[in-house]
Amino acid sequence: MINIFEVKETNNMVEHENLDVRTITIGISLLSCIDSDLKKLNENIYNRITSVAKDLAKVAGEIEAEYGIPIVNKRISVTPIALIGGAACKTPEDFATIADTMDRAAEAIGADLIGGYSALVSKGMTKADEMLIRSIPIALCRTNRVCSSVNLASTKTGINMDAVRLMGEILLEVAERSKDRDSVDCMKLVVFCNAPDDNPFMAGAFHGVTEADAVINVGVSGPGVVKTALEKVRGENFEVLCETIKKTAFKVTRVGQLVAQEASRRLSIPFGIIDLSLAPTPAIGDSVADILCEIGLEYAGAPGTTAALAMLNDQVKKGGVMASSYVGGLSGAFIPVSEDQGMIDSVQAGAITLEKLEAMTCVCSVGLDMIAIPGDTKATTISGMIADEMALGMVNQKTTAARLIPVIGKGVGDTVEFGGLFGYAPIMPVNKYSCDDFINRTGRIPAPIHSFKN
């Protein structure tokens, strides 16, 4: 039972502390759309998305108006397209037509973004997987809403280094094709280790093959709420600090649970999960880095940062899991550089480096996220950065990711503007030493010994 105090408290979080539901994402299975005729396949996909999600924007607007809780994004995720298009697609261009269809369908139902232009290649690539990957630059540069992800590694299978090498080349091609817009299309592409099937956040959302025909997944976010709560316990011991984070995460997650249940009921689609991630925005007071500073760091990146982030992430999970029937997705703290004003300030102050960010990804939800790097960075160097991030996820049995943006024509000292929730980013320096001979080996890195659980 929700009492009047909780209602007032939630209203205050919304009005003054940037609490919002970051996304309602409908996951849609496209397995029933498979056809060997490309025209028929595209027709099936369009009809499936627009029929299942036709009321998404309307229902989100109704819930927002009725409960006074901002719902920032309405999104769609679909079955990885490499699986759906394999029978019909003979060329990368064939796959890109499916991206066009996804884009049209998302626009028709008022979705902000649509994810699932994806391939799962942690152990090997089929011809369809490779064709889809090679079509990514074409697809992303001629669509507005389509997001792409590739799962390159897992704890169970190891790291597909052939795919890692290919993705370094693909990322540079995406950057080159959108260089007149500061390589902005790279924001819509992410690579994973241990990608979850039920992630509601972009660019990595896809609807896993183990999921039902359609599900509602909700991402809720409140870094500003956590920071405000911690301001009230300055100087207290770690026990008080941890309890405060847990209680706050519980309250934030309850808001997401309410919205998810209402959306599920009104759309007649089963509730999947709540992703209780702390996802920052460029808005002042909506920063994960600011939480770390409130905990006691001068800047994110100072000694102690990894420990502070580990504690924050763990307490957010402990509080959140008590507030929802089902928690999933990524669920923890995000550290995207361009989307977090505190992280931007840390980069500009010289307090944080790529190497420190990599260390932080060992204990948080994602990986090297929304990081702008010089446009002349070699493909093999990018692949090396990706491989490092994949290794962290594989060995630590967690999800890690890399969303890197090589900005063609810009270098260290420059800044790139992405706009909106994506913010802006200073170009960060990349290690200048070569990993060419390592990346150009073929095959895969085997799974770690502790992956054998049977």
Side-chain angles (χ1 to χ4, degrees), residues 20 92 95 99 101 128 130 136 151 171 176 194 232 311 315 334 360 379 388 420:
D20 60 53
F95 268 108
T101 299
E130 185 172 349
I136 288 172
N151 192 66
L171 187 61
E176 183 65 35
N194 294 322
K232 298 171 184 175
M311 179 189 67
Q315 301 310 311
F334 290 179
M360 292 165 69
D388 286 342

Side-chain angles (χ1 to χ4, degrees), residues 369-398:
D369 193 16
M370 289 298 291
I371 296 173
I373 59 176
D376 61 359
T377 305
K378 293 192 301 181
T380 49
T381 299
I382 293 171
S383 293
M385 296 166 68
I386 290 171
D388 286 342
E389 200 56 49
M390 299 301 99
L392 292 178
M394 176 183 72
V395 172
N396 291 311
Q397 304 176 71
K398 68 185 293 295

